[in-house]
């Protein structure tokens, strides 16, 4: 029994250790831009993408990376992904936000 | 325009027209008995309208109020389209407008003025049965509140000449989606119809993934197509992409109409979504509409590019400018 408890405790400690926490990338969204507008990730490395809307509702959508977040100013939205392919992926705001909406995008490079 | 003319003589019809889609696949036997006769009887019983030939026009993406380098002529192409339709020898029964009637505006009251101007222009149409769905530029910022004041509900159905028409809203949620509530409504509506009923869906965005990174898709479009899948005769008309396109999915034909403000390029050949530059020599180049005619169970779809040539024998923006006006 002690052995089992010890193993469980060790597993818990390892899972909480800083080494296993995904890297966090923070992005802000406001009409009609994301800041930063370009980030670089590593293939196979988990990363948490945290996005805050500053002014109104926005979207954060990249189909190939399976990123789809609804953004509103009252909360920070986040998703954790592990990119499995390299390339240049364009993220768009997919919540209509006005005349410059079509140009509200950013790039995720996966190396 | 008082002069009436035959569309085939005077309009530039892309590729001699006619992507012909089967609207009513049972119709080759229409004169006889069998399932088509049953269908005709069913429609007559339901709404008093028998399945009979008719024509309609699809207009899209006028963006009334837009002003910018891709088209400095404002509503001129829209007005030309109205003249072209009014000049048709045989007036269409019905006109469908698939969204982005207006361009959004920041200043208070300005968007309402644009909707008012749209209605003023549309009132020139001889055909008075005009049905609408919103685009995101009409309804995306306020969940369709202002649009409803001018044009009524954003999704609805009606029957016309034995065809069931479904107006679907995939914009007013702000995001490109139809939403669970509307999909349930669609299921209940379709449950009233036989599987062979001819159905025309009109909506703004494509219901399939045409180019998702350009927002040319509807997130829950697959769910909508699954609801429609049991029905054998489905045609889907849409706008949003500012170019003509024909696409076939397993159970439906999808036709996109050109816009009336500016065109977008072929998404298979370019990476960035940028409007096709304005051409002073051909101000209506790439702009246009769709003419559709149902006859003997088949739907003819003509992609029509607007031109000035039929009026003066030549193109050129000077023909639509007032004296002393320049671009």
């Amino acid at each position: 029994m002690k052995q089992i408890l010890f193993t469980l405790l060790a597993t818990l400690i390892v899972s909480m250790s800083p080494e296993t926490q995904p890297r966090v990338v923070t992005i802000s969204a406001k009409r009609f831009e994301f800041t930063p507008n370009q980030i670089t990730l590593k293939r196979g490395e988990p990363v948490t993408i945290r996005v805050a809307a500053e002014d109104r509702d926005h979207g954060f959508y990249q189909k190939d990376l399976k990123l789809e977040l609804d953004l509103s100013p009252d909360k920070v939205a986040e998703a954790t992904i592990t990119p499995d392919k390299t390339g240049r992926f364009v993220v768009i705001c997919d919540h209509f936000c006005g005349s410059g909406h079509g140009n509200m995008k950013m790039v995720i490079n996966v190396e | 325009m008082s002069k009436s003319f035959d569309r085939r003589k005077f309009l530039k019809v892309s590729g001699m027209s006619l992507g012909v889609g089967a609207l009513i696949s049972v119709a080759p036997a229409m004169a006889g008995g069998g399932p088509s006769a049953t269908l005709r009887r069913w429609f007559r019983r339901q709404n008093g309208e028998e399945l009979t030939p008719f024509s309609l026009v699809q207009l899209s993406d006028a963006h009334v109020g837009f002003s910018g380098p891709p088209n400095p002529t404002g509503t001129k192409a829209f007005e030309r389209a109205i003249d072209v339709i009014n000049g048709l020898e045989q007036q269409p029964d019905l006109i469908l407008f698939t969204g982005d009637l207006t361009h959004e505006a920041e200043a208070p009251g300005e968007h309402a003025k644009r909707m008012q101007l749209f209605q003023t222009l549309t009132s020139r149409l001889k055909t008075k049965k005009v049905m609408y769905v919103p685009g995101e530029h009409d309804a995306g910022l306020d969940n369709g509140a202002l649009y409803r004041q001018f044009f009524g509900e954003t999704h609805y159905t009606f029957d016309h000449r034995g065809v069931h028409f479904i107006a679907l809203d995939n914009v007013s949620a702000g995001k490109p989606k139809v939403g669970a509530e509307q999909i349930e409504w669609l299921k209940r509506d379709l449950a009233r119809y036989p599987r062979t009923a001819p159905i025309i869906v009109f909506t703004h965005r494509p219901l399939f993934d045409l180019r998702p990174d350009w927002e040319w898709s509807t997130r829950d479009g697959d769910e909508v197509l699954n609801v429609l899948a049991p029905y054998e005769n489905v045609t889907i008309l849409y706008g949003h992409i500012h170019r003509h396109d024909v696409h076939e999915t397993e159970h439906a034909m999808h036709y996109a109409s050109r816009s009336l403000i500016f065109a977008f390029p072929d998404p298979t050949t370019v990476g960035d979504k940028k409007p096709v530059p304005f051409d002073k020599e051909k101000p209506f180049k790439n702009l246009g509409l769709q003419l559709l005619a149902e006859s003997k169970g088949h739907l003819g779809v003509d992609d029509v590019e607007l031109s000035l040539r039929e009026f003066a024998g030549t193109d050129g923006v000077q023909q639509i400018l007032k004296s002393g006006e320049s671009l």
Side-chain angles (χ1 to χ4, degrees):
Chain A
M1 189 62 178
K2 274 185 181 174
Q3 181 68 32
I4 292 169
L5 281 173
F6 178 78
T7 307
L8 280 173
L9 189 60
T11 306
L12 190 62
I13 288 169
V14 168
S15 68
M16 290 174 67
S17 67
E19 289 77 21
T20 60
Q21 292 299 304
R23 180 162 69 100
V24 176
V25 175
T26 302
I27 294 163
S28 76
K30 68 175 182 185
R31 297 194 325 161
F32 303 103
E33 60 185 14
F34 293 108
T35 307
N37 66 4
Q38 189 150 192
I39 61 172
T40 300
L41 308 179
K42 285 185 180 167
R43 183 166 68 109
E45 181 186 289
V47 61
T48 296
I49 295 176
R50 201 166 280 165
V51 194
E54 292 180 16
D55 51 0
R56 53 154 292 132
D57 290 354
H58 292 286
F60 191 83
Y61 178 64
Q62 213 306 314
K63 186 177 181 184
D64 292 334
L65 295 177
K66 298 184 176 58
L67 278 169
E68 182 180 353
L69 295 173
D70 291 328
L71 314 178
S72 60
D74 56 353
K75 66 179 167 88
V76 175
E78 67 174 44
T80 299
I81 59 168
T82 305
D84 59 1
K85 53 192 162 192
T86 59
R88 180 179 183 274
F89 302 92
V90 177
V91 180
I92 60 170
C93 169
D94 69 342
H95 191 121
F96 187 73
C97 58
S99 57
H101 166 75
N103 295 320
M104 185 166 170
K105 48 193 157 186
M106 64 168 290
V107 172
I108 296 180
N109 292 303
V110 180
E111 295 175 338
Chain B
M1 191 176 67
S2 59
K3 183 176 68 170
S4 67
F5 54 81
D6 174 68
R7 70 180 186 198
R8 297 215 170 274
K9 269 189 190 162
F10 292 97
L11 298 182
K12 181 180 176 186
V13 179
S14 174
M16 277 308 289
S17 81
L18 295 185
V20 177
L23 177 63
I24 307 144
S25 61
V26 295
M30 247 170 107
S36 60
T38 307
L39 188 61
R40 278 192 298 160
R41 278 197 301 276
W42 187 88
F43 263 102
R44 195 164 46 207
R45 197 168 58 242
Q46 291 293 315
N47 55 30
E49 284 192 310
E50 196 165 333
L51 201 56
T52 49
F54 68 94
S55 64
L56 65 92
V57 171
Q58 181 193 359
L59 296 172
S60 205
D61 298 86
H63 287 262
V64 168
F66 176 86
S67 176
N71 188 345
T73 72
T75 59
K76 297 290 188 192
F78 182 26
E79 293 177 65
R80 180 65 76 215
I82 290 168
D83 287 343
V84 164
I85 295 165
N86 284 343
L88 292 173
E89 203 164 83
Q90 185 182 347
Q91 284 296 290
D93 289 31
L94 177 65
I95 292 170
L96 303 179
F97 213 114
T98 49
D100 285 354
L101 327 179
T102 59
H103 203 71
E104 77 285 348
E106 300 287 331
E110 179 58 26
H111 201 182
K113 283 182 188 166
R114 293 177 180 187
M115 289 195 176
Q116 184 64 58
L117 175 58
F118 176 91
Q119 286 189 326
T120 301
L121 294 172
T122 310
S123 69
R124 294 184 196 165
L125 284 161
K126 288 180 185 172
T127 298
K128 295 304 176 193
K129 189 165 184 175
V130 187
M131 312 302 273
Y132 308 93
V133 286
E136 77 278 13
H137 291 274
D138 303 306
L141 288 178
D142 64 356
N143 300 116
L146 184 65
Y147 174 92
R148 284 188 191 86
Q149 288 177 30
F150 280 83
F151 302 101
E153 276 310 309
T154 60
H155 65 278
Y156 55 90
T157 66
F158 63 96
D159 291 334
H160 180 79
R161 301 275 191 114
V163 175
H164 186 51
F165 286 81
I166 301 170
L168 270 191
D169 169 8
N170 55 8
V171 301
S172 67
K175 294 175 77 76
K177 68 176 186 180
V178 171
E181 192 177 326
Q182 197 179 172
I183 289 173
E184 286 305 312
W185 164 84
L186 178 65
K187 285 179 189 170
R188 290 194 300 275
D189 174 73
L190 286 171
R192 302 181 292 130
Y193 288 83
R195 298 291 165 95
T196 49
I199 293 168
I200 292 180
V201 176
F202 60 111
T203 189
H204 182 61
R205 288 187 162 108
L207 292 173
F208 61 96
D209 278 358
L210 177 52
R211 180 89 196 240
D213 62 327
W214 288 11
E215 257 189 87
W216 287 8
S217 63
T218 299
R219 203 61 46 74
D220 49 6
D222 280 351
E223 289 179 53
V224 174
L225 294 178
N226 284 339
V227 173
L228 290 163
Y231 296 85
E232 297 165 14
N233 303 298
V234 177
T235 300
I236 297 166
L237 307 177
Y238 68 101
H240 185 61
I241 69 170
H242 291 214
R243 55 183 291 108
H244 177 63
D245 192 75
V246 180
H247 181 79
E248 186 172 5
T249 52
E250 196 174 352
H251 301 285
M253 289 299 298
H254 306 245
Y255 299 94
S257 175
R258 295 169 190 255
S259 92
L260 296 165
I261 192 72
F262 58 78
F264 282 120
D266 182 347
T268 63
T269 60
V270 296
D272 289 335
K273 181 186 171 189
K274 288 183 182 162
V276 174
F278 182 69
D279 181 350
K280 269 188 177 182
E281 297 306 312
K282 292 186 176 177
F284 298 156
K285 188 178 179 184
N286 299 315
L287 309 182
L289 47 90
Q290 287 195 132
L291 302 174
L292 298 94
E294 189 284 322
S295 178
K296 296 183 179 174
H298 283 78
L299 186 68
V301 182
D302 288 357
D303 163 40
V304 177
E305 183 179 34
L306 291 176
S307 164
L308 287 169
R309 192 168 285 276
E310 67 268 26
F311 297 96
T314 179
D315 282 316
V317 75
Q318 68 281 357
Q319 295 179 64
I320 54 173
L321 297 179
K322 292 173 186 160
S323 178
E325 194 179 12
S326 64
L327 290 174

